[in-house]
Amino acid sequence: MVDKDKGKAHIVQYLKELHLPTIREIYEAVAREAEQESLGYEGYLLQLLQRECEVRRQKRIERYLQESSLPLEKNIETFDLKRLPAKVRNQVSLLREGFFLDKRENILAFGNPGTGKTHLLCAIGQELVRQGRRVLFVKCSLFVQQLLGAKRDLRLAQQLKKLKKFEAVLIDDIGYVQQDREEMEVLFTFLAERYEQGSVMITSNLPFSKWEKIFKDPMTTAAAIDRVVHHSVIIELNIPSYRMEAARKKTQHEKEAAA
Ligand code: ADP
Ligand code: MG
């Protein structure tokens, strides 16, 4: 009996040292199950390792979701895919697989306000995080301010390096807020650094023809578009605004109810 207790203390100690908390928690219960089911040594070991890896994976994904800053309510379950044109629906089902990340391709979603650009790209981003990939969501205006702050503190290179750990950076609403030249420059630096190194996912109400509003001079604009477009998937959402449609339906219902 004394030996058994000693053995247990050692097991617990080793598992602590090896950082295997799940195995530590379950190994005794699983051993009893294994005995009942005549699982054998290898079967038992397999069970323990599977559970440890599964719990780790879940924790990692929770951590990635946290660090992503994605608005989690904008997911694929809450998104009505039927509103999308067939072509876009096909694009979405491919993008959800995440191959574009391996190829370091970009996703660019264009369309008028309210067409679901932000929701759709966030939903794709969240799907990818749930597959274990790292994505960062940023609002363009805020992102630019952060980069600018870093530049002023002579930390821009460091900041850009930090962003490399993300396979995709989702920049929401590029061009929505007019930027001054300095702000545009850091944004351009980011895009140029990221080119072929990692994916960007961009939403914008401005078609390329109006990107001069963002990047000010024609040369920089052309250079920015060139880099972003080179390996990219373009999603065109030329559909009615979801909000407008929802509002219209609501008034219609009210009218019908009143009639
Ligand atoms: P955009 O970024 O194009 O301006 P959003 O993604 O912010 O549009 O969408 C506007 C609002 O409409 C959001 O509340 C969003 O959740 C909702 N919405 C847009 N498209 C859909 C859709 N297909 N299914 C469900 N909700 C949608
Ligand atoms: Mg938006």
Side-chain angles (χ1 to χ4, degrees):
M1 201 61 209
V2 171
D3 273 349
K4 198 173 175 200
D5 282 350
K6 226 172 161 183
K8 185 179 164 182
H10 279 134
I11 291 176
V12 169
Q13 190 51 41
Y14 283 133
L15 291 172
K16 265 190 191 158
E17 211 170 305
L18 292 168
H19 303 290
L20 298 166
T22 304
I23 295 186
R24 204 172 74 214
E25 219 171 276
I26 63 166
Y27 82 94
E28 286 175 300
V30 178
R32 280 193 294 274
E33 277 170 32
E35 258 167 40
Q36 276 166 18
E37 292 164 27
S38 320
L39 213 54
Y41 298 117
E42 283 181 15
Y44 173 57
L45 184 60
L46 180 64
Q47 286 268 327
L48 293 184
L49 296 176
Q50 267 174 344
R51 296 271 288 274
E52 179 73 45
C53 284
E54 183 47 38
V55 171
R56 267 189 206 197
R57 188 183 144 77
Q58 267 169 18
K59 286 211 172 123
R60 188 166 62 237
I61 287 172
E62 267 163 40
R63 225 172 36 241
Y64 288 178
L65 281 173
Q66 272 260 312
E67 74 171 6
S68 74
S69 300
L70 280 163
L72 298 184
E73 71 287 356
K74 289 189 204 253
N75 54 50
I76 214 88
E77 275 78 45
T78 55
F79 191 83
D80 181 4
L81 287 163
K82 290 195 292 295
R83 284 197 90 237
L84 300 176
K87 182 183 170 200
V88 177
R89 232 177 302 154
N90 287 338
Q91 286 177 314
V92 171
S93 54
L94 201 63
L95 293 172
R96 286 171 71 172
E97 309 264 340
F99 299 121
F100 75 97
L101 295 177
D102 303 318
K103 294 186 269 175
R104 292 165 170 73
E105 284 175 352
N106 302 325
I107 308 182
L108 310 165
F110 292 108
N112 288 328
T115 49
K117 301 180 294 297
T118 301
H119 191 146
L120 180 60
L121 291 206
C122 286
I124 293 172
Q126 189 175 147
E127 289 274 295
L128 298 173
V129 175
R130 290 190 187 282
Q131 290 164 29
R133 316 201 70 157
R134 291 173 95 174
V135 175
L136 178 71
F137 171 86
V138 287
K139 285 213 174 300
C140 185
S141 46
L142 204 68
F143 183 54
V144 165
Q145 288 312 314
Q146 283 165 356
L147 293 180
L148 208 55
K151 188 179 172 200
R152 287 188 183 135
D153 300 343
L154 307 175
R155 286 187 295 107
L156 185 61
Q158 216 177 316
Q159 181 79 2
L160 292 174
K161 198 169 155 213
K162 262 200 201 159
L163 294 168
K164 283 198 178 136
K165 70 179 180 202
F166 296 103
E167 289 184 88
V169 176
L170 196 176
I171 306 177
D172 192 35
D173 260 336
I174 204 172
Y176 183 66
V177 180
Q178 287 284 310
Q179 279 140 8
D180 65 29
R181 196 163 276 273
E182 227 193 338
E183 291 170 332
M184 166 285 282
E185 266 171 25
V186 282
L187 183 59
F188 182 81
T189 306
F190 167 76
L191 292 175
E193 278 264 321
R194 192 108 189 136
Y195 176 64
E196 291 186 337
Q197 302 293 316
S199 299
V200 287
M201 300 165 78
I202 289 176
T203 75
S204 186
N205 302 331
L206 291 181
F208 286 134
S209 56
K210 297 204 176 126
W211 274 31
E212 227 178 284
K213 284 191 181 166
I214 311 172
F215 292 102
K216 313 299 173 201
D217 66 277
M219 279 284 278
T220 317
T221 307
I225 293 176
D226 198 55
R227 280 176 178 75
V228 180
V229 170
H230 186 193
H231 311 284
S232 70
V233 177
I234 295 178
I235 296 178
E236 304 260 13
L237 287 178
N238 300 318
I239 53 177
S241 154
Y242 185 87
R243 286 185 280 245
M244 294 249 267
E245 207 168 85
R248 209 181 43 235
K249 275 188 191 149
K250 188 165 169 261
T251 0
Q252 183 125 22
H253 283 314
E254 280 164 4
K255 267 189 202 156
E256 280 166 12

